[in-house]
Amino acid sequence: MTETQSTHTETTAYDVVVIGAGPVGENVADRTRAAGLSTAVVESELVGGECSYWACMPSKALLRPVLARADARRLPGLSASVQGPLDTAAVLARRDSFTSGWKDDGQVRWLEGTGADLYRGRGRLSGPRTVTVTGPDGRESVLTARHAVAVCTGSRALLPDLPGLDEVRPWTSREATSAPSAPGRLVVVGGGVVATEMACAWQALGSQVTVLVRGDGLLGRMEPFAGELVAEALTEAGADVRTGTSVKAVSRENGAVVVLTGSGDRIEADEILFATGRAPRTDDIGLETIGLEPGSWLDVDDSLRVTGHDWLYAVGDVNHRALLTHQGKYQARIAGAAIVTRAAGEPVRTEKWGAHTATADHAAVPQVVFTDPEAASVGLTLAEAEQAGHRVRAVDVDLSSVAGASLYGDGYRGRARMVVDLEDEIVRGVTLVGPGVGELIHAATVAVTGRVPVGRLWHAVPSYPTISEVWLRLLEAYRDA
Ligand SMILES: Cc1cc2nc3c(=O)[nH]c(=O)nc-3n(C[C@H](O)[C@H](O)[C@H](O)COP(=O)(O)OP(=O)(O)OC[C@H]3O[C@@H](n4cnc5c(N)ncnc54)[C@H](O)[C@@H]3O)c2cc1C
């Protein structure tokens, strides 16, 4: 339904308008289309978003050979054949195939297959239920939404305010995941997931990596032993991990990056990666036209609706609940269902485990860090559980004592922690660190989400000899504590 305004800007009415076609926007549109609501999707770069081209997929494509080689090197009979360097060019070529050479034709076909209309260009709110799209040729179209606008514009790398930063042309996660070759020397600033994964990848792909962490360890949001084990392995792989080190200034001298640290050290490198946090992509989406603050994270309720606006949803990274693709897609399924339900004039179901409330965001967010060793967690750490006022007990197990782990590789190092709520004896959180543990975390997610009493977990028997037998050791440790 198109009408022409006196300014000759075309206005088209839809049931739903989605701004941003990352994994989250795609999934919101898929749900609303499946229910028969007309849906427009606006995308300013590539359909598929950060995850497909500069985040999850390319980073994991870089890391998979690194982890496979590390696993192989732990196996007598195999290790001698894998002592050589990785074929960096082949690894980068495989990474490029996962990003489809930074072309989105495949994802556009998928999106169009849902029946959604794709608008290429920058979308901005221009008032309630209205989105103005500025196309690549500068032409504007106006889209109005009968039922909902879903803001799914994601996040971008946050750079610190440092003297000399523009001059050094620093890497962000985008360059770190798309670089065409390995820099000789790479300084990584930060100690979170992006920093540790990229340090692990590029050190193995031929760079000499120096990690500068302001705090006293890596992976500060996980149990402390996760960062310790990953730092130990990075150091053994040849990286220089410096904790308690802040960056004071950066510059480029004769082509090299020069980093001055807070303690007065001078470090030279070919490139510098800042993995120092994320900012919401909301600075230029017209939030001011509806009374919201540009550049802010968008506060939402559990149906992903923005506080104070009954037609506006903010889904995925942009709401700052959990900056992870799987969690954003979970929110997209819930937001999609909520939009469809409200469009039909029905109330959303809000019971605790209902289909229209993103309760997992509060209690059971799983995350895997694909370093060597992998670190995986779900739910609360011991410190978080205590801060939240739960009466808990944490039990730890050395993973090398598990038969499946010792078969996995000689000298297997790893650790597991289960945090049990002593009131109702349910699992509040689990952290696993060790080679191959990423695939184990879903069992813990089921236990935490399902609030399964530890007494019932005794009857969930893990196969012998798998690393999953860590569950028996954790339960015994809890019983005997
Ligand atoms: C290096 C790295 C590795 C990661 N690895 C993982 C991982 O292994 N697993 C995991 O779960 N998560 C991972 N993440 C996090 C994951 O990438 C994000 O959580 C996910 O991409 C969020 O999806 P989204 O759709 O909310 O946003 P995005 O993927 O950022 O997509 C937002 C889209 O909106 C578009 N857009 C923005 N503004 C506008 C506008 N005004 N108009 C039109 N379009 C607009 C953008 O172009 C983009 O396509 C990683 C992140 C990084 C940085």
Side-chain angles (χ1 to χ4, degrees):
M1 195 194 297
T2 301
E3 63 190 56
T4 305
Q5 296 177 329
S6 55
T7 57
H8 301 293
T9 303
E10 240 179 37
T11 296
T12 311
Y14 285 90
D15 291 323
V16 180
V17 177
V18 178
I19 312 179
V24 175
E26 286 180 326
N27 276 276
V28 173
D30 187 33
R31 293 288 149 149
T32 55
R33 278 301 306 135
L37 298 184
S38 64
T39 302
V41 179
V42 187
E43 173 52 53
S44 58
E45 293 183 84
L46 294 176
V47 173
E50 209 70 13
C51 177
S52 300
Y53 305 101
W54 299 284
C56 328
M57 293 312 283
S59 62
K60 269 74 248 184
L62 292 175
L63 283 158
R64 185 61 215 132
V66 175
L67 302 194
R69 182 182 66 164
D71 287 345
R73 282 181 170 177
R74 286 185 271 266
L75 287 170
L78 181 56
S79 68
S81 337
V82 287
Q83 288 306 315
L86 287 165
D87 179 345
T88 301
V91 173
L92 297 180
R94 182 166 184 266
R95 182 266 326 261
D96 294 355
S97 76
F98 273 90
T99 61
S100 309
W102 289 273
K103 291 198 176 65
D104 65 0
D105 309 12
Q107 303 219 39
V108 169
R109 272 195 300 280
W110 176 87
L111 185 64
E112 288 175 347
T114 67
D117 289 345
L118 172 63
Y119 287 77
R120 294 272 193 192
R122 179 160 296 280
R124 281 187 197 83
L125 290 159
S126 43
R129 297 172 189 269
T130 311
V131 175
T132 298
V133 184
T134 308
D137 57 2
R139 293 236 310 246
E140 288 193 344
S141 351
V142 175
L143 311 176
T144 58
R146 276 183 286 267
H147 297 298
V149 173
V151 175
C152 307
T153 50
S155 65
R156 64 160 65 86
L158 179 68
L159 287 169
D161 191 11
L162 266 184
L165 197 65
D166 288 348
E167 185 197 330
V168 296
R169 296 178 308 281
W171 277 14
T172 66
S173 47
R174 284 204 167 190
E175 289 74 22
T177 50
S178 63
S181 59
R185 298 159 301 173
L186 174 67
V187 167
V188 176
V189 184
V193 179
V194 174
T196 50
E197 285 188 347
M198 291 298 94
C200 179
W202 289 110
Q203 179 67 35
L205 289 167
S207 303
Q208 173 56 55
V209 172
T210 303
V211 185
L212 305 179
V213 198
R214 207 168 40 184
D216 54 7
L218 301 178
L219 299 175
R221 295 203 171 158
M222 288 186 150
E223 297 285 7
F225 63 84
E228 286 161 20
L229 285 164
V230 171
E232 199 176 287
L234 266 174
T235 306
E236 282 170 13
D240 179 2
V241 180
R242 304 189 193 182
T243 54
T245 305
S246 60
V247 176
K248 210 168 141 200
V250 286
S251 58
R252 254 199 206 266
E253 292 174 18
N254 304 320
V257 178
V258 177
V259 184
L260 285 183
T261 70
S263 48
D265 290 339
R266 180 189 153 98
I267 303 164
E268 279 198 21
D270 298 290
E271 300 293 350
I272 182 165
L273 161 64
F274 280 90
T276 44
R278 309 286 301 172
R281 289 182 68 171
T282 58
D283 38 346
D284 189 22
I285 61 162
L287 288 183
E288 64 286 357
T289 67
I290 53 164
L292 293 172
E293 180 69 27
S296 57
W297 299 103
L298 292 172
D299 275 339
V300 291
D301 64 19
D302 276 349
S303 71
L304 290 315
R305 198 157 62 162
V306 176
T307 315
H309 299 269
D310 64 359
W311 53 274
L312 185 64
Y313 292 73
V315 198
D317 276 15
V318 77
N319 64 33
H320 208 221
R321 284 164 74 112
L323 279 68
L324 291 163
T325 291
H326 46 271
Q327 219 61 27
K329 285 162 74 174
Y330 160 76
Q331 293 175 9
R333 295 190 286 274
I334 285 165
I339 291 168
V340 169
T341 304
R342 288 183 175 127
E346 293 164 19
V348 300
R349 290 204 302 276
T350 54
E351 72 268 27
K352 199 160 192 187
W353 304 109
H356 306 145
T357 47
T359 48
D361 286 348
H362 308 299
V365 174
Q367 173 153 33
V368 177
V369 186
F370 293 82
T371 42
D372 175 42
E374 289 174 349
S377 66
V378 64
L380 303 178
T381 61
L382 173 61
E384 285 169 346
E386 285 175 347
Q387 267 160 27
H390 300 301
R391 203 166 64 80
V392 289
R393 180 188 300 153
V395 286
D396 287 11
V397 163
D398 178 350
L399 271 174
S400 67
S401 67
V402 176
S406 58
L407 280 164
Y408 201 87
D410 282 8
Y412 188 102
R413 266 178 289 170
R415 192 163 155 194
R417 170 170 291 179
M418 174 171 75
V419 178
V420 180
D421 191 316
L422 296 172
E423 297 299 329
D424 34 16
E425 294 212 303
I426 55 167
V427 183
R428 287 273 177 204
V430 173
T431 302
L432 304 164
V433 184
V437 300
E439 292 294 341
L440 266 59
I441 200 65
H442 193 60
T445 306
V446 172
V448 174
T449 309
R451 300 169 65 85
V452 184
V454 285
R456 283 302 302 159
L457 286 176
W458 274 113
H459 303 285
V461 185
S463 297
Y464 180 82
T466 62
I467 308 176
S468 290
E469 281 199 315
V470 66
W471 283 99
L472 297 179
R473 304 289 94 80
L474 286 167
L475 291 166
E476 285 160 2
Y478 176 73
R479 179 199 58 196
D480 299 341

